[in-house]
Amino acid sequence: MDLKGRDFLKLKDFTPEEITYLIDLAAELKRKKKEGVPHDEKKGRNIALIFEKTSTRTRCAFEVAAHDMGMHVTYLDPSGSQIGKKESIADTARVLGRMFDGIEYRGFGQEIVEELARYADVPVWNGLTNEFHPTQMIADMLTIKEKFGHLAGIKLAYMGDARYNMGNSLMVTCAKLGMDFAACTDKKYFPDPELVSYCEEVAKETGASILLTDDVREGTKDADVIYTDVWVSMGEPEEVWESRIRALSPYQVNRSVMENAKETAIFMHCLPAFHDLKTTIGKQIYEKFGLTEMEVTDEVFESSQSVVFDEAENRMHSIKAVMYATL
């Protein structure tokens, strides 16, 4: 399958066959890395990483993947780029496109990465926007396939705020791949109705199903995958934290939730997770709200059902596959 020159902005842009190809390619590149088989066919290429939002996993995954393939990396943090400040997004794209073979963007609105792609003459990859997180999806699907051997027919229940990148991306991906998706959350945190309608139409063609429910028992019943994410993004005001915690506390992933899912169910989280008091933010949450755990209990996070670190490792293999296929 030829994806050379393609941007990787959201999985709405890709067919089920193309998504499956990327998952399988990630598995093959993972095998090569584990077996010590060289795969540095992109030697001499240069890529730019624009990070308006910092990240541990995304940055490390892109850098290690690039180095494995023989490429050079330039990292631009929030203070290292003038994108949208002194220089327009369009001008930035045209300048970087002359210097680099590919550009990654991690930041805010989807419209920014879409504009970068429109003006750059090289592939642009979405490392995360407010609306979508496509590289995480390839990693997640690779992880699920490793655990169950297939994707079609798998039921994934997403718990928490389903209005943004993770809820949106999981719903789109499940619809494309014939998986059953449930958004299990307070009704005011359901995904955008227009995106739900799009996914429902896709699901008719793939055999997938879309369920939106505020009933924890219904949403997680017989699920193969229980998935969650942080309830509040860093930097949001304290009043948002308070209202979000109050609304989403009933949707914490705990032992009861896992027992309502299938006996073989796995727990997934894109990380970081607030499951204990071993972080500065965790301690602040405890001091302000008296919570020792938030979106997932430490019991579940550290259980044998948790595959979060397999999932985190697979970010690198999946990002490598995206770059490998599109460069």
Side-chain angles (χ1 to χ4, degrees):
M1 186 169 291
D2 186 7
L3 299 181
K4 287 182 175 60
R6 290 275 297 273
D7 300 310
F8 191 72
L9 309 179
K10 58 187 182 300
L11 289 188
K12 286 178 69 178
D13 301 334
F14 289 79
T15 66
E17 293 76 21
E18 289 169 336
I19 297 168
T20 300
Y21 167 73
L22 288 171
I23 296 165
D24 292 344
L25 178 58
E28 174 63 11
L29 292 171
K30 181 175 182 176
R31 181 192 65 79
K32 286 185 176 182
K33 185 172 178 69
K34 297 292 185 183
E35 295 177 2
V37 178
H39 46 284
D40 55 354
E41 292 93 334
K42 306 300 180 184
K43 192 176 294 184
R45 302 290 185 95
N46 294 278
I47 65 168
L49 307 181
I50 303 173
F51 275 66
E52 292 196 296
K53 285 184 179 179
T54 57
S55 166
T56 301
R57 280 154 303 284
T58 303
R59 177 181 177 178
C60 292
F62 266 100
E63 291 195 350
V64 174
H67 293 152
D68 281 354
M69 292 191 289
M71 298 195 291
H72 303 288
V73 176
T74 298
Y75 174 75
L76 300 171
D77 67 14
S79 65
S81 166
Q82 297 299 332
I83 184 170
K85 305 181 188 85
K86 291 184 179 179
E87 188 166 46
S88 70
I89 295 166
D91 288 356
T92 299
R94 287 180 285 191
V95 169
L96 295 183
R98 300 285 185 101
M99 299 180 181
F100 294 95
D101 298 289
I103 302 167
E104 180 271 355
Y105 173 82
R106 178 184 175 92
F108 298 96
Q110 181 71 15
E111 70 277 2
I112 298 174
V113 76
E114 298 275 355
E115 188 171 1
L116 276 172
R118 189 157 53 250
Y119 287 96
D121 290 328
V122 297
V124 173
W125 310 298
N126 179 359
L128 173 141
T129 61
N130 295 339
E131 292 83 2
F132 294 105
H133 198 356
T135 58
Q136 180 72 51
M137 292 304 100
I138 304 301
D140 289 345
M141 296 305 121
L142 173 60
T143 307
I144 294 168
K145 193 170 184 179
E146 287 175 339
K147 301 305 175 185
F148 295 102
H150 63 98
L151 292 171
I154 290 289
K155 178 180 177 179
L156 185 149
Y158 180 79
M159 303 185 72
D161 191 341
R163 300 172 298 171
Y164 299 118
N165 46 42
M166 288 307 302
N168 290 345
S169 297
L170 285 165
M171 182 170 63
V172 169
T173 307
C174 287
K176 292 262 185 176
L177 297 180
M179 300 166 64
D180 298 323
F181 174 82
C184 183
T185 185
D186 186 287
K187 289 180 180 178
K188 61 177 171 285
Y189 298 118
F190 282 175
D192 175 66
E194 187 175 334
L195 186 62
V196 172
S197 296
Y198 165 84
C199 290
E200 288 174 339
E201 288 303 309
V202 172
K204 291 176 184 177
E205 302 297 320
T206 65
S209 67
I210 307 295
L211 170 68
L212 309 182
T213 181
D214 60 356
D215 186 318
V216 173
R217 302 293 292 177
E218 179 187 22
T220 62
K221 180 66 175 173
D222 293 330
D224 297 288
V225 181
I226 302 293
Y227 202 122
T228 193
D229 189 13
V230 293
W231 290 340
V232 188
S233 297
M234 298 304 98
E236 291 192 87
E238 187 173 319
E239 56 268 24
V240 173
W241 280 87
E242 188 172 357
S243 62
R244 202 79 58 80
I245 287 170
R246 189 182 307 115
L248 295 178
S249 288
Y251 303 96
Q252 179 191 67
V253 179
N254 50 37
R255 178 50 50 196
S256 175
V257 166
M258 296 306 297
E259 288 176 350
N260 194 51
K262 285 183 181 175
E263 189 175 344
T264 55
I266 58 175
F267 168 71
M268 300 181 72
H269 193 306
C270 55
L271 302 182
F274 298 118
H275 59 98
D276 56 29
L277 301 179
K278 296 177 183 178
T279 63
T280 301
I281 299 296
K283 290 174 184 174
Q284 290 175 353
I285 292 166
Y286 175 71
E287 290 167 2
K288 292 175 182 176
F289 306 107
L291 296 175
T292 58
E293 306 157 312
M294 283 189 61
E295 73 277 5
V296 58
T297 62
D298 193 58
E299 179 186 17
V300 170
F301 187 88
E302 297 291 354
S303 73
S304 60
Q305 291 176 283
S306 176
V307 298
V308 297
F309 297 111
D310 294 329
E311 183 184 2
E313 178 196 336
N314 282 340
R315 291 296 310 284
M316 188 266 292
H317 305 299
S318 300
I319 283 170
K320 186 185 293 183
V322 169
M323 293 194 294
Y324 191 98
T326 57
L327 283 173

